[in-house]
Amino acid sequence: MTLPPTLGARIAVSDRPLFGAWSCAGSATNAEIVAGSGLDLVLIDAEHSPAGLESILAQLQAVAAYPVTALVRPPSGDTVALKQVLDLGAQNLVVPMVDTAEQAAEIVRAVHYPPVGVRGVGSALARSSRWNRVEGYLADASSTISLFVQIESAAAIANLEQILAVDGVDGVFFGPADLAASMGLLGQQEHPDVVGAVLAGIASAAAAGKPSAVNAFAPAAADRYVQAGAALVIVGADVALLARATEALADRFIGSHPGGPDASGATLRASY
């Protein structure tokens, strides 16, 4: 039995940027819907979502039936949390709120077995090795994992070159929302200073020979970061898509008053 290629491996052989969407509801059904959409990647979130270990597992299992890459964001870079998520079979991680090279190095240690790292050995009990059905898993585990660290503060931007130099950090993921907040620009992801920091970060990653990813729900922002050289852009989220689509339905059929755009129902009937 073999495991799918990692995100890093998929980026390396792709002739175009990859595009993905978040699965933030903690729902395996939502993750499966995103997986079947034609996008390249499903980003399973456990930082800003209700997802626990059982939910992450269910989402990984649902996504596994589709030709997409699953990327998991754990709630933190805690060594125990990372061990548990890896044992569930997550091969690709993006760890939030990494501000320094020292933090990045500790995260690298957490995702690798000794002597490189400190990951606890439980492969016979875990989906990561398919319960020891993946031949040579312990020896080859490092090659089955891609580690991205999330750059989402002014401190992280200042330390970016050192973070990129950490062996075992496979790529960086820019989070404009938290970056804006750390720069005193809460809610202003499109502020020139925030955009400039992300663009400079993408260039730094390219110079270091490592791929960069970025969160960009607005198409114009996504296009900008693709043109700058981002290897992966996350262009939507299950919860945001559902929220905006249902709001559009409410606007269309109800509008600003109970009778809706046409209280007689003529508009509704004419649409069928």
Side-chain angles (χ1 to χ4, degrees):
M1 181 176 289
T2 59
L3 296 174
T6 65
L7 175 57
R10 186 166 181 185
I11 288 172
V13 301
S14 179
D15 60 0
R16 61 168 177 80
L18 303 184
F19 297 92
W22 293 92
S23 177
C24 295
S27 163
T29 298
N30 281 20
E32 184 171 4
I33 291 169
V34 175
S37 67
L39 289 168
D40 300 301
L41 180 140
V42 180
L43 209 172
I44 299 168
D45 187 36
E47 184 192 17
H48 292 296
S49 87
L53 293 175
E54 290 84 357
S55 172
I56 295 170
L57 173 60
Q59 292 180 76
L60 287 169
Q61 290 170 327
V63 168
Y66 296 83
V68 297
T69 297
L71 175 62
V72 176
R73 180 167 71 175
S76 73
D78 175 77
T79 299
V80 174
L82 294 177
K83 172 180 65 178
Q84 290 179 302
V85 172
L86 288 171
D87 281 353
L88 293 179
Q91 292 180 248
N92 308 293
L93 300 178
V94 53
V95 178
M97 296 292 183
V98 177
D99 292 335
T100 67
E102 290 76 17
Q103 281 181 278
E106 285 303 306
I107 292 165
V108 169
R109 282 169 48 78
V111 304
H112 292 285
Y113 290 126
V116 175
V118 296
R119 179 183 173 189
V121 181
S123 59
L125 311 176
R127 183 175 178 269
S128 56
S129 70
R130 301 306 187 265
W131 304 276
N132 274 353
R133 290 170 178 161
V134 176
E135 186 175 355
Y137 177 78
L138 286 176
D140 298 333
S142 290
S143 68
T144 71
I145 296 168
S146 271
L147 173 64
F148 279 60
V149 296
Q150 199 154 5
I151 305 300
E152 46 188 343
S153 71
I157 291 291
N159 294 322
L160 182 57
E161 289 189 10
Q162 294 94 324
I163 292 170
L164 285 163
V166 174
D167 189 26
V169 170
D170 298 305
V172 289
F173 187 115
F174 295 98
D178 277 302
L179 177 58
S182 79
M183 296 170 70
L185 299 165
L186 183 64
Q188 300 180 60
Q189 293 93 309
E190 287 295 294
H191 190 283
D193 291 349
V194 178
V195 172
V198 175
L199 292 174
I202 291 171
S204 294
K210 294 186 177 181
S212 57
V214 63
N215 210 42
F217 289 4
D223 290 341
R224 175 205 305 132
Y225 294 131
V226 165
Q227 290 168 7
L232 168 66
V233 183
I234 305 302
V235 293
D238 58 343
V239 291
L241 291 166
L242 180 60
R244 302 296 84 79
T246 51
E247 288 162 6
L249 288 173
D251 287 344
R252 167 63 178 80
F253 293 107
I254 299 173
S256 60
H257 56 87
D262 185 338
S264 70
T267 302
L268 177 58
R269 289 193 297 273
S271 69
Y272 283 87

